[in-house]
Each structure stands twice: as C-alpha cells, then as structure tokens.
Amino acid sequence: MKILITGALGFIGKRLFSALKEQKHNVLGVDLVIADYDDYIRADITYFEDVWKQFKDNNGFDMVIHLAGEVGRLNGEEYPQRMVYVNEIGTLNLIKMCLEYNTKLVYFSTSEVYGTLFDEKEVKEEDFYVLSPSRVTNVYAMSKLFGEGLVRHYVKNYGLLAVGIRPFMVYGPGIIASRYKSAIDQFVYNALKNKPFTVHKGSERAWCYVDDFVNGVITIINKHEFKLGTYEAYNVGTQEYIATEDLAKLVLELTGKPSELMKIVELPDKFISGRKRFSNEKLRALGWQQSVPLREGLQKVINWYKGMVENENSSNRL
Ligand SMILES: NC(=O)c1ccc[n+]([C@@H]2O[C@H](COP(=O)([O-])OP(=O)(O)OC[C@H]3O[C@@H](n4cnc5c(N)ncnc54)[C@H](O)[C@@H]3O)[C@@H](O)[C@H]2O)c1
C-alpha cells in the first residue's frame, strides 16, 4: 500500500514507519521538522497547503495513518488553544483530502475519551456513543473526542472510509522524561537520578510495550473491514493491570534504588482517572496478543534511560 503517516517523527510514528517499511509498504512520513530523512517531508497538518501538496505530489495515498497532533493531559491544560487548533483543524484537513482522493483514514484517538466512564465500568469501544464533552476530564480528551466525532461525521455523511484507534498507556524506550510524560518515564528517570518521584495512591493502569502496540495497529490495518457509512474504533492495549504503587516498587527493584524515593500522594481530583479498565476483545478477535510482559519492557526502558543519564552526567541537560 501507499501510506502517508502524519507525526512520523513521534514516539509511535517512528516505530510504525519502520514496521510498515519492513512489510514492504510504500511509506511517506510527515512531521514538523525540516530534515533530509529518506521518505520524509516536512508538513504541518494545520496548513491545508502542506497537506494538499503531499496528496497532489503523490497522486493520493491508499491510506493515511494520522498520528500527528498535540499530545497529553498536562500539555492540553497548559496550551489548550494550540491543542484544539492542531487536533481539530489538522484532522479536518486530512479528512478533506482523504475524501478527495478516496483514501482510507486511520485516526489516532486516545483512551482518555472514555473520561468519567472509567469510574463506572470496564469500557468497550461502543461506549463512544454515550460519551460527551461533559464526560471527559481534560482538554486533550475533548480535542480527541471531537476529532473522532468529525471522522465519524464524514464517514456517516460523506463516504469517508475510516477507522479509529484508542491507544492505552503505550510505553517504551526513546522518550525524554518530563512532567508531560507518563508515570513510567518519570519513575525510571527520577529513580536513576536518585531523585524522589510522586505516585498516585489508588491509581491502576495496564501498560502496552510499543512493539506490541505497533503490532496491534498493523493487525487493524491488515484485517479491519472498512465499510461505507460505518465508523468503528479499536481499544489498543494490554490487560496486564498493575497498581501504580506496585509499578513504582517494580521500577525501584529493577533499578536497585531505595524505597524512600517513592512519595505516595492522593490522586488529584481533576484531569485524571483513577483506574482505566477496558476491553481489548475486539483487537484480540483479529488475532492480536501481547508478547512483551511489563517486567521485560520496563527493563528495556531502564536500559535506555541509563544511557541517557550517563550522557547527562558527562554533559548538561537543559
Ligand atoms: N503514546 C501513548 O501512550 C498515546 C496514548 C493515547 C493516544 N496517543 C496518540 O497517538 C498519537 C501518537 O502519539 P505519540 O506518543 O507518538 O506522540 P508524540 O508527541 O511523540 O508524536 C506526535 C508527533 O506529531 C507531530 N506533530 C505535532 N503537531 C504537528 C503538526 N501540526 N503537523 C505535523 N506534525 C505534528 C509532533 O512533532 C510529533 O512528532 C497521537 O495522536 C496521540 O494523541 C498516544
């Protein structure tokens, strides 16, 4: 297939790009950075001209995998205008060009769209239809929910062929830890630096190693049946649930650091869900299964951060 990946230089985009290349797809990646990488072009998805040019120059694509966007809860609270603009206008630009060139669209949403429904039940894909802006807990979730709403609208009313992906807690080597990033990144990085880190009491998640996640996306691309007029989405993640306190203890065990580094605090009453229980049955029905257990994936992340911390010790992180 001829595939366009937006957000190709991001954490997931980079791996998906390589995995699709390995499968001999003809892949073009776009992202914000100006660079001479192979099969890569700079394009800002909020500029219609940038998006239009890629379609025109390549005589369209068979599929667009749309990962580009502003990502993360805290990011959305601190930069809401940028988040809403990029995630809505960028998505709309891609929808318009996909319609023009009869291109399938794979839209990246987030598990966050389920919002307060996590407090009530194990969520399923079709729960999308009871979701609303008043049910989500942060601007990021709102921007992705509206993005899904747009995609569904163009599927229902204009003949767009599309599928949605709702990633759950993807982790792996390659992220620069900060307060904008996941608990795994913050725990590992701080532990290796011998710095204390906070852990939310009562919180629980199931983490998905990035290679398993990319396999999930490829499974969907290969096996999902795109139907005219029907919008569907898939929860993509594992069911290896772990209390966040236990995750922190595991990080300390694997890094050999003392338990005093872990500071347990109450779960904030805003912007975040305590537990995220969900069904991944729909993805498993396509033949997908987890292959990297948390302990193994965590060790890979730790090894990666060890290299980073060593570099920082010999230079200076800003
Ligand atoms: N990583 C996760 O656990 C997770 C969870 C839920 C949802 N997602 C979704 O998956 C997708 C990929 O996530 P990620 O973790 O790789 O994030 P990431 O931040 O690493 O990658 C996003 C990429 O989009 C690019 N981008 C931002 N604005 C752009 C624009 N205007 N034009 C072109 N490119 C632009 C960024 O430069 C970046 O490379 C995102 O849509 C994200 O919301 C990820």
Side-chain angles (χ1 to χ4, degrees), residues 91-108:
T91 299
L92 205 47
N93 286 340
L94 287 155
I95 290 173
K96 292 287 167 142
M97 290 313 300
C98 282
L99 280 172
E100 198 67 27
Y101 281 85
N102 208 13
T103 298
K104 289 176 183 142
L105 177 65
V106 180
Y107 173 76
F108 267 64

Side-chain angles (χ1 to χ4, degrees), residues 243-262:
T244 307
E245 284 181 45
D246 292 336
L247 172 72
K249 285 179 193 156
L250 186 57
V251 168
L252 293 172
E253 180 202 322
L254 294 175
T255 52
K257 298 293 178 176
S259 58
E260 293 74 52
L261 290 181
M262 167 176 158

Side-chain angles (χ1 to χ4, degrees), residues 37-274:
Y37 304 133
D38 289 344
D39 303 316
Y40 170 82
I41 292 180
R42 180 226 199 165
D44 182 330
I45 55 159
T46 64
Y47 285 76
F48 186 73
E49 182 189 53
D50 284 11
V51 176
W52 166 81
K53 193 170 183 312
Q54 301 321 313
F55 277 79
K56 184 175 85 57
D57 290 353
N58 292 283
N59 195 23
F61 301 92
D62 299 308
M63 180 178 279
V64 168
I65 308 181
H66 174 32
L67 299 102
E70 287 292 315
V71 180
R73 278 184 297 109
L74 188 55
N75 182 23
E77 299 312 309
E78 292 184 5
Y79 304 96
Q81 185 176 350
R82 178 189 290 266
M83 178 158 275
V84 170
Y85 190 75
V86 174
N87 292 356
E88 274 35 280
I89 301 302
T91 299
L92 205 47
N93 286 340
L94 287 155
I95 290 173
K96 292 287 167 142
M97 290 313 300
C98 282
L99 280 172
E100 198 67 27
Y101 281 85
N102 208 13
T103 298
K104 289 176 183 142
L105 177 65
V106 180
Y107 173 76
F108 267 64
S109 178
T110 171
S111 58
E112 288 286 314
V113 294
Y114 292 111
T116 57
L117 211 56
F118 283 124
D119 302 335
E120 296 166 23
K121 60 181 289 216
E122 178 188 280
V123 299
K124 281 187 157 49
E125 285 83 351
E126 56 269 29
D127 291 327
F128 177 69
Y129 293 97
V130 302
L131 298 177
S132 82
S134 62
R135 274 211 168 256
V136 293
T137 59
N138 54 68
V139 172
Y140 172 51
M142 223 176 289
S143 75
K144 288 287 185 175
L145 182 61
F146 191 74
E148 271 206 64
L150 280 174
V151 172
R152 183 190 161 273
H153 176 76
Y154 282 90
V155 167
K156 282 279 166 201
N157 301 299
Y158 293 87
L160 178 71
L161 286 173
V163 65
I165 289 187
R166 301 189 189 127
F168 279 76
M169 310 310 295
V170 190
Y171 76 101
I175 293 178
I176 310 281
S178 72
R179 66 181 194 282
Y180 300 94
K181 300 298 180 187
S182 79
I184 284 191
D185 295 292
Q186 296 184 47
F187 295 177
V188 173
Y189 178 73
N190 284 306
L192 290 173
K193 299 279 270 186
N194 296 310
K195 286 185 178 170
F197 55 87
T198 55
V199 179
H200 293 151
K201 192 170 161 183
S203 148
E204 179 204 72
R205 296 286 186 271
W207 298 84
C208 183
Y209 191 69
V210 64
D211 291 353
D212 278 339
F213 178 79
V214 164
N215 280 339
V217 175
I218 289 178
T219 303
I220 293 165
I221 288 168
N222 289 338
K223 298 200 175 157
H224 174 71
E225 206 182 317
F226 289 83
K227 289 189 208 124
L228 266 178
T230 305
Y231 174 70
E232 281 190 63
Y234 290 83
N235 293 334
V236 180
T238 76
Q239 293 192 308
E240 195 183 354
Y241 295 103
I242 183 168
T244 307
E245 284 181 45
D246 292 336
L247 172 72
K249 285 179 193 156
L250 186 57
V251 168
L252 293 172
E253 180 202 322
L254 294 175
T255 52
K257 298 293 178 176
S259 58
E260 293 74 52
L261 290 181
M262 167 176 158
K263 306 285 173 212
I264 297 174
V265 298
E266 291 298 327
L267 184 77
D269 59 0
K270 285 179 187 169
F271 313 131
I272 192 166
S273 307

